[in-house]
Amino acid sequence: MASNGCVPHVDFPIPYKTIQETNNHLIEKRPEEHDALIATLPLEPFLERPFSFDQPYRLYKGVWMSEINLRGTLAMQQRFKSCPTDIFLASFPKSGTTWSKAMIFATLARTNNSLNQHPLSTHNPHQCVPYMEVEFATGKRQILEVIPSPRVMNTHLPYSLLPDSITESSCRIVYVWRDPKDVIVSMWYFAQKILGGADKMVTFDQFYEHYYQGLNSYGPIWNHVLGYWEESKRRPEKILFLKYEHILQEPVKYAKQLAHFMGCPYSETEENQGVVEQIVELCSFKTLKDFDVNKYGNLPTSDNINVTNASFFRKGEAGDWKNHIDSRDGRKARHYY
Ligand code: PAP
């Protein structure tokens, strides 16, 4: 261990799945110390939720969260210790998390792995980069501690709920956001895949209305984006604020910006050899979607539901909302501008 408690640097990141499999002995009992507090928090006021999981949603400091994520969040706020070299990917769900996980991981993993036999060809990006709240909620706090530096971790928490150890240290945060209308459409289809069809869901109008009112997991989305945007203006060296639609338009430009921000800029030689383009290609929607692991694999989840790796790859485009929202209710759509 390094003197600051962080595990020393390795030349390339190891997929989190591998670290987890070799450190199962570190799994602890699920944290329960905040359950009494959680039980006092307001419950979701709406009867029909998009997901019919057992977990009710609670309102904590203006943010709606499932009880399990909240349990993880409170444990994380209390116990998480960041390292200066940590890189956090923060995002609202369905804003480009999978893609950004792949890009960050591949940017760091570009020296020792041939891009042809890259871990991303055999691991879903979510198996490479952990989702912090869930890891804390399921007793895997100590596994996060043994990830070699530089650790890459993902959170869906708004800036206001991040542990002080993240906001007050010199570690970096990459934030990706997306047109909220496309976020809603993307989540609508994702939920259908998980639940096994639209007939198990609320109607799209109800689903839309929940988001519109901020009554969704990690919602309201507006506060989420605004919190990171404001902080990125204040501390641009701390937060890289990226937009999904911009990356789609100019992936090479943003891949370079990402590497620079992460402290591992591309060398002139790498640029001349086309390494940036290769990484962009490796992480592209089409390449990732076509890997067998993303066609047939599954992810374990905290809610004991079955999430297929394929469910993270649908269209991968900007503006699909026009096929759903305008045709239903143009008045609502215009509120977003
Ligand atoms: P998560 O927050 O649950 O991990 P996230 O990855 O943010 O989900 O969102 C999934 C969306 O990203 C999907 O959008 P869609 O439903 O509108 O199609 C998915 O298709 C898209 N996506 C996944 N990988 C990529 C990629 N490599 N490039 C572009 N878009 C991608």
Side-chain angles (χ1 to χ4, degrees):
M1 288 260 183
S3 55
N4 59 1
C6 304
V7 178
H9 174 84
V10 290
D11 286 342
F12 62 96
I14 303 163
Y16 179 65
K17 182 170 182 262
T18 310
I19 295 170
Q20 207 180 323
E21 283 165 355
T22 48
N23 288 285
N24 273 331
H25 59 284
L26 295 177
I27 298 179
E28 302 166 315
K29 207 161 87 48
R30 294 175 177 225
E32 289 168 0
E33 63 264 38
H34 301 106
D35 284 5
L37 165 70
I38 292 173
T40 65
L41 296 173
L43 268 174
E44 53 163 350
F46 44 99
L47 292 175
E48 291 178 287
R49 276 181 294 131
F51 296 105
S52 58
F53 305 153
D54 295 339
Q55 295 288 331
Y57 284 15
R58 299 273 184 178
L59 184 65
Y60 178 67
K61 297 194 173 172
V63 183
W64 285 101
M65 260 192 273
S66 69
E67 285 193 347
I68 189 151
N69 284 346
L70 190 49
R71 197 172 291 139
T73 299
L74 295 173
M76 186 171 142
Q77 287 178 341
Q78 190 176 20
R79 302 235 184 103
F80 183 73
K81 297 263 177 303
S82 72
C83 299
T85 50
D86 285 343
I87 296 167
F88 299 95
L89 165 65
S91 60
F92 193 86
K94 303 300 161 207
S95 300
T97 319
T98 312
W99 190 11
S100 306
K101 280 188 179 186
M103 283 298 297
I104 293 173
F105 188 81
T107 302
L108 287 173
R110 68 183 195 254
T111 47
N112 290 42
N113 291 291
S114 141
L115 291 176
N116 294 326
Q117 297 173 319
H118 198 276
L120 281 168
S121 65
T122 47
H123 295 74
N124 177 273
H126 292 281
Q127 295 172 320
C128 295
V129 177
Y131 175 10
M132 297 175 76
E133 296 89 285
V134 169
E135 296 307 295
F136 265 84
T138 50
K140 304 201 192 85
R141 171 184 69 92
Q142 289 198 54
I143 301 188
L144 296 180
E145 287 177 8
V146 298
I147 301 174
S149 162
R151 297 188 296 180
V152 182
M153 289 165 281
N154 161 235
T155 177
H156 286 318
L157 286 178
Y159 189 80
S160 59
L161 294 187
L162 289 180
D164 292 345
S165 172
I166 296 181
T167 55
E168 290 171 6
S169 77
S170 57
C171 59
R172 281 169 269 212
I173 302 173
V174 176
Y175 184 73
V176 62
W177 74 288
R178 184 183 192 186
D179 183 329
K181 302 188 289 308
D182 277 337
V183 167
I184 298 172
V185 171
S186 183
M187 184 55 100
W188 165 251
Y189 283 104
F190 181 75
Q192 282 183 38
K193 285 223 173 99
I194 290 179
L195 296 179
D199 55 321
K200 311 260 187 346
M201 305 260 302
V202 295
T203 65
F204 182 79
D205 285 346
Q206 288 169 310
F207 190 79
Y208 181 101
E209 201 57 39
H210 290 167
Y211 268 80
Y212 188 63
Q213 295 177 24
L215 301 174
N216 54 280
S217 186
Y218 296 98
I221 188 170
W222 340 109
N223 296 352
H224 203 283
V225 179
L226 199 61
Y228 282 96
W229 181 76
E230 283 174 348
E231 198 56 27
S232 75
K233 291 283 159 209
R234 213 167 66 83
R235 291 196 291 166
E237 73 292 348
K238 169 95 183 164
I239 301 183
L240 179 65
F241 190 78
L242 297 174
K243 189 169 189 210
Y244 178 92
E245 290 80 0
H246 293 166
I247 310 173
L248 268 182
Q249 277 173 353
E250 296 181 279
V252 170
K253 172 179 156 184
Y254 288 103
K256 286 184 195 169
Q257 195 181 348
L258 181 66
H260 182 80
F261 176 78
M262 285 164 49
C264 51
Y266 292 99
S267 66
E268 208 179 319
T269 315
E270 283 181 308
E271 290 205 15
N272 292 339
Q273 288 172 344
V275 174
V276 194
E277 286 79 2
Q278 286 171 45
I279 291 212
V280 165
E281 180 61 26
L282 171 70
C283 300
S284 71
F285 178 79
K286 182 166 180 348
T287 306
L288 291 180
K289 187 182 165 96
D290 285 347
F291 287 135
D292 279 357
V293 66
N294 294 326
K295 283 185 185 160
Y296 311 116
N298 288 291
L299 289 183
T301 70
S302 55
D303 304 90
N304 291 327
I305 46 164
N306 185 28
V307 177
T308 64
N309 292 348
S311 62
F312 292 95
F313 303 93
R314 190 181 64 92
K315 279 194 164 179
E317 294 170 0
D320 192 30
W321 65 268
K322 290 177 193 143
N323 299 318
H324 300 80
I325 294 174
D326 245 350
S327 60
R328 284 169 183 274
D329 190 339
R331 178 187 58 80
K332 280 183 192 161
R334 279 197 295 278
H335 277 277
Y336 285 103
Y337 293 108

